């Protein structure tokens, strides 16, 4: 991690610290590998909507994947051309749909029959045609935490496989819809490549079937999901995009001229972000020793919500004698715990502590629970 401890010493904590050089490096790798196969990338804004990051990501020529009207606004404000924006979500409101239509976004990723009717109606009232893709639930198990698995039949997302023909028919029948193709997303933090392979196989089968029905999709969007290495952020700062895109390049039976899209979120921004905090107290319990940080679950909810693991480092005292600690926040909940029984160099009140790999779903999921202030953001690089 590229940090200047001296410059952190006087800063108020906690704050998110973003290494923009690493973000650039990650984006270059993602874009290089995707463009070898003519794949198109839409950054999943939900992973981190910090305007500085959005502006850097836009500079690398990615489109945006949004899930709310406000994300569409943020993407446009950061410079993303409206026609590179794709918009997913099971519960798009009329207001959000109207905003997206007026902005002229690239594609709605539609998730249900009633949504198709509503988009058609609103597009008619504005005198436009909406480009839509059908989000299909491929019933592929992402082998990841159950809260971030999205592509199984019991999940709320998308059309079921056996509804797709009827949904395409519906799109073709509705005069203000322009059917573009299919959209998939099976989950997040996927580290097992066979999951993507299973997705590709499922999509190949569906595509062949649709072609037989005279319904060839012009576009396919495989969503996001590529995982990052939370245990070794310095060893693996940039995810292996070559292998990831290679799976799709080697196995997806793309049709002549077909456009293939992806929506990476975590893999782009996770490793460039660190939550920097300070030790408020070290408390000796009867059975345990606690490091109490000034960051809590309001700043980073992933450990409490998904039992996620973020590497913890004592920046002030990086080496030397160690002890075993539970590292917790100040919030009045037992779930406000970042890690249990972690071996760290001896901690003292005032030490600066880093929680690594926090660039994705960190700052953007922060809340004001306990009426705490939202964490600040600081940047290295341009
Ligand atoms: N596309 C769609 C339709 C999605 O729902 C998501 C993430 C993505 C793309 C981006 O996926 P990624 O490349 O980031 O895996 N808050 C959770 C993660 C929720 C992911 C939601 N959807 C966490 O902190 O782990």
């Amino acid at each position: 991690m590229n940090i200047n401890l001296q410059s952190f010493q006087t800063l108020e904590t906690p704050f998110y610290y973003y290494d923009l050089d690493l973000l650039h490096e990650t984006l270059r790798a993602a874009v290089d590998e995707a463009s070898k196969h003519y794949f198109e990338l839409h950054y999943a804004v939900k992973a981190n909507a910090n305007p500085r990051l959005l502006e850097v990501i836009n500079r690398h020529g990615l489109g945006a994947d949004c899930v709310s009207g406000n994300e569409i606004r943020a993407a446009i404000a950061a410079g993303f051309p409206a026609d590179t924006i794709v918009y997913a979500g099971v519960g798009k409101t009329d207001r959000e749909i109207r905003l997206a239509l007026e902005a002229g976004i690239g594609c709605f990723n539609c998730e249900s029959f009633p949504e198709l009717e509503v988009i058609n109606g609103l597009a008619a009232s504005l005198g436009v045609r909406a480009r839509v893709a059908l989000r299909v639930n491929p019933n592929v198990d992402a082998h990841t935490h159950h809260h971030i698995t999205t592509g199984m039949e019991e999940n709320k997302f998308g059309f079921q496989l056996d509804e797709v023909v009827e949904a395409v028919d519906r799109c073709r029948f509705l005069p203000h819809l322009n059917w573009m193709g299919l959209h998939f997303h099976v989950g997040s933090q996927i580290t097992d490549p066979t999951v993507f392979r299973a997705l590709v196989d499922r999509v190949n089968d569906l595509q062949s079937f649709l072609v037989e029905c005279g319904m060839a999709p012009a576009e396919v969007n495989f969503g996001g999901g590529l995982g990052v290495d939370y245990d070794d952020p310095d060893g693996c700062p940039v995810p292996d995009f070559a292998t990831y895109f290679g799976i799709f390049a080697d196995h997806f039976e793309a049709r002549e001229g077909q456009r293939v899209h992806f929506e990476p979120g975590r893999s782009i921004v996770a490793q460039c972000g660190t939550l920097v905090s300070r030790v408020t107290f070290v408390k000796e319990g009867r059975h345990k020793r606690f490091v109490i940080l000034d960051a809590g679950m309001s700043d980073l909810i992933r450990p409490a919500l998904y039992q996620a693991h973020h590497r913890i480092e004592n920046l002030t005292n990086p080496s030397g004698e160690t002890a075993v600690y539970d590292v917790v926040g100040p919030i009045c909940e037992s779930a406000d715990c970042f890690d249990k029984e972690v071996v760290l160099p001896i901690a003292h009140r005032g030490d600066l502590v880093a929680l690594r790999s926090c660039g994705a779903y960190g700052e953007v999921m922060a809340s004001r629970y306990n009426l705490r202030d939202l964490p600040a953001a600081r940047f290295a690089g341009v």
Side-chain angles (χ1 to χ4, degrees), residues 142-151 155 157 185-190 225 230 266 302 305-306 308 361 365:
H143 302 151
T144 184
H145 190 275
H146 61 280
H147 281 180
I148 50 177
T149 293
T150 47
N155 296 125
F157 300 99
H185 172 78
V186 290
S188 201
Q189 183 53 18
I190 297 169
Y230 282 98
R266 186 190 316 265
R302 302 194 67 256
L305 198 53
Y306 317 113
Y361 307 107
M365 292 180 81

Side-chain angles (χ1 to χ4, degrees), residues 144-165:
T144 184
H145 190 275
H146 61 280
H147 281 180
I148 50 177
T149 293
T150 47
M152 299 288 290
E153 269 173 5
E154 63 262 33
N155 296 125
K156 67 182 173 183
F157 300 99
F159 289 89
Q160 300 306 320
L161 283 165
D162 58 8
E163 294 174 323
V164 177
V165 169

